[in-house]
Amino acid sequence: MPYVAVSAISHPGLLRERNEDSLVVGPWTLCGTVTENPQTLVFPLGTPLVVAVADGLGGHPGGEVASSLVARQLAALGPALTSEIAVRDAVNACSRAVYQAAGGEEETALTAMGTTVAGVVVQADSVLVFNVGDSQVFAAGGDGLRQVSVDDNPPHPPGRTVSLVTQCLGGSPTYRAVQPHVTSETPAPDERYLICSDGLTDPVPTDVLDEILAEHDDGRAAFELWKAAIEAGGPDNITVAVVRIGQE
């Protein structure tokens, strides 16, 4: 029987006072939590399974509120995400929900709270990849690691990272619709997916991510990725999910 194994870990890093990342794996959510041991969940392959990371915007109020709201809404909508259109509609619904929770047109303590989101929806014969912002999705297979999400960053010099994003869910005193990046893939038999916040990808080079995923799988892979970010200084919240489609 085919199955989906998801191994995940979430941690505030070494320099942040709290964790503003949230994670959704099917009906299960992990919001603003500190874990140092990966959790592995296994699901039958069939009904759409959403796995996503939401990273609350730093420098804005209520980042952890925005990310947890998106994680919980995606958990509720997950089984209905059967097409690219359904995913785009769901992400836009999440963005509107963040804006409304921040007070809508009324100024509140949560005005302009926002979050990025990146994830996959695993289906019986395909994987839908989606993102808004700079959280990322990679595919790891025999040909190495390749990024399948699209960063919403302004142009910047090679070798430098930029903390600004050109679109996110919420994040503004006025409502702005988003244009989610959504693509459909047919995964190769040995391919896995890495979904993560930029607390992993900013301090850890892509070739190191590739080496770790080539050597490890499931919970060990998630742990080694988190460890690499911590050893690189852990400057931001770190959330990692490794998705593998298997056959018993």
Side-chain angles (χ1 to χ4, degrees):
M1 166 119 14
Y3 64 89
V4 184
V6 183
S7 300
I9 189 169
S10 187
H11 190 273
L14 300 179
L15 302 183
R16 301 293 188 186
E17 293 182 359
R18 63 182 184 272
N19 189 359
E20 295 187 317
D21 287 357
S22 294
L23 174 74
V24 54
V25 181
W28 183 76
T29 58
L30 192 68
C31 302
T33 307
V34 179
T35 62
E36 294 185 359
N37 294 302
Q39 305 293 312
T40 298
L41 302 173
V42 179
F43 303 85
L45 179 64
T47 301
L49 178 76
V50 61
V51 182
V53 171
D55 179 357
L57 291 187
H60 290 237
E64 70 280 8
V65 177
S67 69
S68 64
L69 187 158
V70 169
R72 293 187 174 108
Q73 186 144 340
L74 286 175
L77 295 171
L81 301 182
T82 57
S83 68
E84 292 184 29
I85 292 174
V87 172
R88 288 191 179 92
D89 288 347
V91 173
N92 263 297
C94 287
S95 186
R96 181 169 286 281
V98 170
Y99 173 71
Q100 294 293 347
E105 296 180 359
E106 180 180 348
E107 185 171 349
T108 71
L110 294 176
T111 292
M113 74 172 180
T115 183
T116 68
V117 68
V120 298
V121 180
V122 183
Q123 304 188 81
D125 56 359
S126 66
V127 173
L128 298 171
V129 179
F130 65 93
N131 81 285
V132 173
D134 57 359
S135 293
Q136 296 180 336
V137 181
F138 296 88
D143 294 331
L145 195 67
R146 60 186 177 89
Q147 184 175 337
V148 288
S149 58
V150 179
D151 291 339
D152 286 315
N153 286 133
H156 56 279
R160 292 184 58 188
T161 58
V162 175
S163 58
L164 298 175
V165 291
T166 54
Q167 65 169 349
C168 59
L169 310 187
S172 171
T174 57
Y175 176 72
R176 294 183 296 185
V178 294
Q179 299 295 325
H181 307 284
V182 186
T183 57
S184 179
E185 294 213 338
T186 301
D190 63 343
E191 206 158 48
R192 293 160 294 156
Y193 288 90
L194 165 64
I195 302 125
C196 58
S197 59
D198 62 354
L200 174 66
T201 52
D202 279 355
V204 183
T206 303
D207 60 339
V208 175
L209 304 180
D210 192 8
E211 290 172 6
I212 292 171
L213 287 166
E215 185 174 353
H216 303 292
D217 216 338
D218 296 342
R220 183 60 187 272
F223 177 80
E224 293 295 337
L225 291 164
W226 167 79
K227 181 181 173 184
I230 291 294
E231 290 178 345
D236 202 350
N237 303 156
I238 307 158
T239 300
V240 175
V242 178
V243 179
R244 178 175 60 86
I245 302 170
Q247 183 82 38
E248 290 183 348

